Amino acid sequence: MDNEDAPVDTDDTQAPNELAAIEFESPGRFAVHNPEPVTPDAAQWEPAPFILGQHERLERFSQPQEARAHVLALIQQAQRSLCLYSDDLEPWLYHHSSVQQACTRFLLSSPRARLRILLRDPIRAVKDGHRLLTLSRRLSSNLHIRKLNPDYPSDELAYLIADDRGLLLRPELDQQAGYALYADPARVRQRQAQFDQAWDTSITDPDLRSFLL
């Protein structure tokens, strides 16, 4: 299917300052009904074997374990900045000790390391409890969580930005498929600008604030 967030081959007629769109072919629609309930983390996740800033090929994924491997690889290799744009802090993808440990190491690696999280709806994460919310209480100076402003338009997708090179994007919220980029500074700059704009208009949700206090 055609999707503006999905990669396509560049066209010689395309404006020089525009990035090529990414064509994303969905494996098909399906409802996500509690995808793999979160358990006490019987096994640690393994990161994808790609190097941030060096691996230039786009990596598509359609299975949750593939998405998890890319997320872990990006977080483990980030050195300065992580930006997470999420619907509800997807528990199947981020509520795991492997992610929590990787984020902890990242945030403690440097006083300048920063993780920013933008949520469309924090109610589920607050109600059920989420490892990254708990971590934000411990490392509040480096980890910031805010809610998307409902009065401003927002993208119906989810993504993770790692430094100025890495990007994991899921174009459709009701699917676990997407793609990961490890060395695409142009596309990351474009997505980072959109994240920063959304961050500047974001708000602090009362439920989220009470949880973090």
Side-chain angles (χ1 to χ4, degrees):
M1 72 177 201
D2 293 330
N3 191 298
E4 61 181 359
D5 292 296
V8 281
D9 295 334
T10 57
D11 190 319
D12 293 337
T13 64
Q14 188 173 13
N17 293 328
E18 292 183 2
L19 291 175
I22 294 184
E23 180 180 343
F24 181 76
E25 295 182 358
S26 169
R29 289 186 174 276
F30 55 90
V32 178
H33 297 291
N34 297 321
E36 297 187 21
V38 178
T39 62
D41 300 348
Q44 292 294 294
W45 295 351
E46 291 296 326
F50 306 117
I51 299 177
L52 184 63
Q54 296 186 22
H55 183 74
E56 297 182 351
R57 191 178 69 186
L58 179 144
E59 297 292 334
R60 299 182 186 276
F61 59 84
S62 59
Q63 300 299 319
Q65 62 269 25
E66 296 171 329
R68 293 164 181 160
H70 288 302
V71 160
L72 193 57
L74 290 171
I75 294 174
Q76 287 182 345
Q77 296 181 70
Q79 297 181 359
R80 299 177 301 279
S81 172
L82 288 169
C83 297
L84 174 57
Y85 187 97
S86 171
D87 186 45
D88 60 357
L89 262 183
E90 298 94 328
W92 67 272
L93 188 55
Y94 295 106
H95 183 54
H96 192 277
S97 60
S98 296
V99 172
Q100 183 184 36
Q101 291 165 10
C103 288
T104 301
R105 286 192 294 268
F106 164 75
L107 292 169
L108 295 178
S109 66
S110 168
R112 297 184 178 181
R114 183 168 61 157
L115 168 56
R116 291 184 292 166
I117 299 174
L118 269 176
L119 297 177
R120 178 171 286 102
D121 184 3
I123 293 178
R124 179 182 181 185
V126 172
K127 180 180 178 181
D128 296 345
H130 196 287
R131 291 179 184 273
L132 294 187
L133 291 186
T134 302
L135 182 61
S136 69
R137 299 180 70 173
R138 293 171 44 207
L139 300 172
S140 58
S141 60
N142 299 72
L143 199 170
H144 306 283
I145 305 176
R146 294 181 66 84
K147 180 181 177 180
L148 287 165
N149 193 323
D151 295 330
Y152 289 84
S154 59
D155 294 326
E156 295 288 334
L157 43 72
Y159 58 85
L160 171 69
I161 301 172
D163 288 344
D164 57 353
R165 293 290 187 274
L167 172 68
L168 178 140
L169 190 142
R170 291 172 41 242
E172 299 184 41
L173 293 176
D174 63 346
Q175 297 189 29
Q176 297 171 331
Y179 61 83
L181 297 163
Y182 288 80
D184 195 332
R187 203 171 298 281
V188 169
R189 276 196 303 272
Q190 183 183 64
R191 189 62 60 183
Q192 184 70 63
Q194 294 171 348
F195 181 92
D196 291 340
Q197 184 177 22
W199 183 266
D200 290 342
T201 61
S202 63
I203 60 177
T204 300
D205 184 83
D207 292 333
L208 187 58
R209 184 191 297 116
S210 63
F211 180 90
L212 299 178
L213 290 178

